[in-house]
Amino acid sequence: STIEVSAESISMPQDGGESTLTFTAPGKWSINNPNQWMTLSYKNTGDPKGIVTVTVGANSDDKERTGTFTISSGSASKQISVKQYGPIDVESNYLSISGSGAEKSVAVNTEGEWTATSTADWVNITEAKGNKLVFSVGANDTDKERDATIELKGEYSSGKIAIHQRLAGDDDEIVAPKGYTLVWHDEFNSGKEL
């Protein structure tokens, strides 16, 4: 005697949702679900034809999550695997752009098709397909630093890249070594050399 199921694996989007599975058991059945992030609802465990609904909330982890639950009936059992997608995996979630502008390329790793949109018109997306996002930023013609977000939307996942642009003329990349802080003293407050 075996348990026949409509699917042995279920994939759920990052935003969450529900999926229904039907199965036929040789007799009375039970379900064991050790996963706290998924909820199973079902009834009529005495009916050999079973229906179970799998519900998951949004996945706030930084990667996909997987789990299994087991349908048992007498000596027969069937394991069902559930995968929930995580956010779109990007090479960098934050980019600081010089005040004079730049073109940047960011590696993107996700399944299926995806799109990219910017929250600001000064970030121009020129390519968004496969595993590559390319965008350009013009010179900062304002009198203050500015921020934008590139929003990625896929078939199963979403993601964000924060863009920060410094003031025009602020093109020096100054990075302090890890564990050190740059301190400016008054005698060095003119010129560009330390």
Side-chain angles (χ1 to χ4, degrees):
S1 297
T2 59
I3 297 171
E4 301 293 330
V5 294
S6 58
E8 293 188 12
S9 63
I10 298 170
S11 292
M12 304 291 281
Q14 176 195 0
D15 292 343
E18 64 179 42
S19 181
T20 299
L21 180 89
T22 59
F23 61 91
T24 305
K28 192 174 177 181
W29 49 270
S30 63
I31 292 180
N32 178 34
N33 171 30
N35 308 280
Q36 292 187 340
W37 57 273
M38 72 172 94
T39 304
L40 306 184
S41 54
Y42 49 87
K43 52 190 175 188
N44 299 335
T45 57
D47 185 343
K49 292 193 182 311
I51 299 173
V52 58
T53 301
V54 181
T55 306
V56 297
N59 182 359
S60 57
D61 295 347
D62 61 358
K63 60 185 187 302
E64 73 178 35
R65 54 187 176 181
T66 57
T68 59
F69 65 89
T70 306
I71 305 169
S72 302
S73 179
S75 62
S77 68
K78 181 72 78 172
Q79 244 187 15
I80 309 298
S81 62
V82 179
K83 172 174 85 170
Q84 184 177 18
Y85 290 92
I88 291 178
D89 182 23
V90 292
E91 180 183 12
S92 177
N93 290 102
Y94 175 85
L95 292 168
S96 179
I97 309 291
S98 75
S100 58
E103 182 176 77
K104 295 283 185 184
S105 177
V106 178
V108 176
N109 182 23
T110 187
E111 291 184 39
E113 299 288 314
W114 55 279
T115 59
T117 54
S118 169
T119 59
D121 56 7
W122 51 269
V123 177
N124 181 32
I125 296 166
T126 54
E127 183 181 344
K129 64 182 178 204
N131 61 354
K132 188 162 77 166
L133 168 70
V134 181
F135 66 93
S136 61
V137 174
N140 186 351
D141 55 5
T142 71
D143 59 357
K144 53 183 177 282
E145 298 186 352
R146 54 188 182 177
D147 294 282
T149 303
I150 294 178
E151 296 173 343
L152 309 175
K153 186 73 180 152
E155 194 175 346
Y156 311 105
S157 306
S158 60
K160 290 183 178 180
I161 301 172
I163 308 295
H164 176 78
Q165 187 175 27
R166 300 185 298 279
L167 291 169
D170 183 9
D171 292 342
D172 295 334
E173 291 284 349
I174 300 174
V175 179
K178 190 171 182 181
Y180 290 85
T181 304
L182 288 177
V183 178
W184 297 92
H185 292 285
D186 288 345
E187 62 264 38
F188 297 124
N189 67 357
S190 63
K192 287 205 159 193
E193 293 183 10
L194 282 174

